[in-house]
Amino acid sequence: MISATRSSPPPRAEVARDPAMTARADRAGPGAPPPPSPSPSTERYRALVDAHFDFIWRSLRGLGVPAGSADDAAQHVFLIAYQKLDEIAPGRERSFLFGTALGVAANARRAGARRRELCDDDAMAAAADGAPDPEQLMEMKQARELLDEVLDAMEDDLRVAFVLFELEGVPTEEISAMLGIAKGTVASRLRRAREEFRAIARRVQARAQHGGGKR
């Protein structure tokens, strides 16, 4: 059975901690005065990035964004969050970010961003952390490709619930709040998602073992 292990982002991407301050710094000349001290909103944004970047990066991968595009997609999610920071209620940061990630991932898929990467996220993370041999890297790459294929074949609603609960470990109560659905609906979607995941995984593995192509 294909294991539903969650993706691990490569070493932290350079997310702009404060897009506005970064733009000002880019425009400033050599003799420019030092930038102003961070404002409370800037501090909140920095905390947002530190607390949720890895979760959003992995969620984007689970939602179908290729590893090579995940950094840019995550940047987009956090840029939107920066622009709407005042609208995000305290305690609702993760829900807002994930809802934004859903839209970003959907746009990426519509733009044809479902190409397979020669070097996927699990392989990059492992290569930077223990340097496995080429055979191990190939096995990890194949496992990730199979997982991606299974997730791609799932219904969108079931896939979202599956990614949040099975891959990210988000509690059902929080999933209910994030998606705006009843806890019973979450439980139902998870049950159906597990059944669909197992059924699709069996088909994908059987096809892989017989050297067949994708459906």
Side-chain angles (χ1 to χ4, degrees):
M1 177 63 67
I2 299 172
S3 60
T5 54
R6 69 183 196 172
S7 304
S8 297
R12 176 64 64 86
E14 287 297 321
V15 178
R17 294 297 196 83
D18 183 340
M21 291 182 70
T22 299
R24 287 197 296 270
D26 290 342
R27 293 194 299 267
S37 300
S39 65
S41 61
T42 297
E43 294 293 346
R44 185 188 181 198
Y45 178 73
R46 289 178 174 177
L48 197 74
V49 173
D50 289 340
H52 302 294
F53 178 83
D54 289 356
F55 166 71
I56 290 301
W57 194 97
R58 290 191 305 265
S59 295
L60 288 164
R61 286 290 289 121
L63 294 169
V65 177
S69 303
D71 283 351
D72 287 344
Q75 291 268 10
H76 190 190
V77 170
F78 282 96
L79 176 60
I80 293 172
Y82 179 83
Q83 294 169 338
K84 298 186 176 182
L85 195 60
D86 292 341
E87 302 175 23
I88 305 174
R92 296 286 298 167
E93 291 86 356
R94 187 151 83 153
S95 294
F96 177 89
L97 290 169
F98 185 78
T100 304
L102 285 174
V104 170
N107 289 337
R109 290 196 301 271
R110 283 194 294 268
R114 292 300 305 129
R115 66 186 183 278
R116 297 297 176 183
E117 301 297 320
L118 295 177
C119 183
D120 83 342
D121 53 310
D122 290 328
M124 288 189 294
D129 183 8
D133 60 42
E135 183 176 352
Q136 290 174 313
L137 287 175
M138 181 58 68
E139 289 176 355
M140 287 187 288
K141 178 178 182 295
Q142 291 173 342
R144 180 68 216 196
E145 287 178 345
L146 289 174
L147 176 60
D148 282 347
E149 186 173 351
V150 174
L151 292 174
D152 284 349
M154 295 177 70
E155 294 180 28
D156 287 345
D157 288 348
L158 304 186
R159 175 178 181 158
V160 169
F162 188 90
V163 167
L164 284 172
F165 187 83
E166 297 291 350
L167 304 189
E168 289 302 321
V170 178
T172 55
E173 293 83 358
E174 187 174 352
I175 296 175
S176 172
M178 290 173 74
L179 302 181
I181 58 178
K183 287 188 287 185
T185 303
V186 174
S188 174
R189 288 185 185 179
L190 286 173
R191 184 184 67 254
R192 291 164 52 210
R194 293 185 188 107
E195 293 172 353
E196 185 169 285
F197 182 90
R198 287 192 290 267
I200 296 171
R202 283 193 293 268
R203 294 199 300 269
V204 169
Q205 287 186 312
R207 187 167 60 247
Q209 289 169 359
H210 290 87
K214 297 178 185 177
R215 67 188 184 96

